[in-house]
Amino acid sequence: MKNLLLIILAFTISPLWPIGPNPLPGDPFIIVNKRTNELAFIHNEQVQMKFPVATGKTDELTPEGKYTITVKAINPYYRKKNIAGGSPKNPLGSRWIGFDANDTNGRIYGVHGTNRPSEIGKYVSEGCIRLKNEDVEQLFELVPLGTKILITSTTKSFEQIAKENGAID
C-alpha cells in the first residue's frame, strides 16, 4: 500500500501530470486548433476572439499539448537570418508571444505576426503559429505572461475545449 501511494504521489507531482495545471475559470487561455487553423482567446469564461492562423507544414512541426506563455516581444529580432525587428523582411512580423513547447524557453515556438499575410489559413510554418500582424498585435495586449496555450487538432468547438480544460465552468 505504501509503495502504491508513493507511485501515485510521484505521478501527480511529476511534470508529466497531466500537462501542466489547467487555467481557472475566467483566466486568459489560448486555444489553437490545427484542424481548422484557428486560434481562440478565452477570457472571463467566454470566447472573446477568434483569428485565422497558419501552422506547421507537417502535423508534427506544430507540437500539440498545453504550454505556458513565457516570452513577449515587440518587433522581434529574427536570429535565424539576422533580420532586425521592424524590418519588412522579418518573417516574425510585429509581435512574438513565445511558449515553452518541447522543453524550450519561449524563443523557439511562438504565436507571431508575419510578413506574408496571404499564407494565413495554410500549413506553411516550421512549427510556429502565424497571425496577421494586426491580429497578433491585438492578442499581444491581452495575453499576460503565464497564460496557458493549448494546441490541438480536433472537431470540437472552442467552447467545448475550454470547458474540458477548466477555462469555462
Side-chain angles (χ1 to χ4, degrees), residues 70-73 76-79 92 96-101 104-110 128:
T70 58
V71 175
K72 291 175 60 177
Y77 170 74
Y78 187 51
R79 292 182 288 173
L92 301 179
W96 174 268
I97 304 169
F99 53 92
D100 61 350
T104 60
N105 60 8
R107 298 183 190 282
I108 306 297
Y109 293 99
C128 287

Side-chain angles (χ1 to χ4, degrees), residues 128-146:
C128 287
I129 298 146
R130 299 180 190 170
L131 283 88
K132 293 178 184 173
N133 283 325
E134 57 268 22
D135 293 345
V136 78
E137 289 169 10
Q138 191 176 4
L139 184 65
F140 185 91
E141 295 302 319
L142 300 171
V143 176
L145 293 175

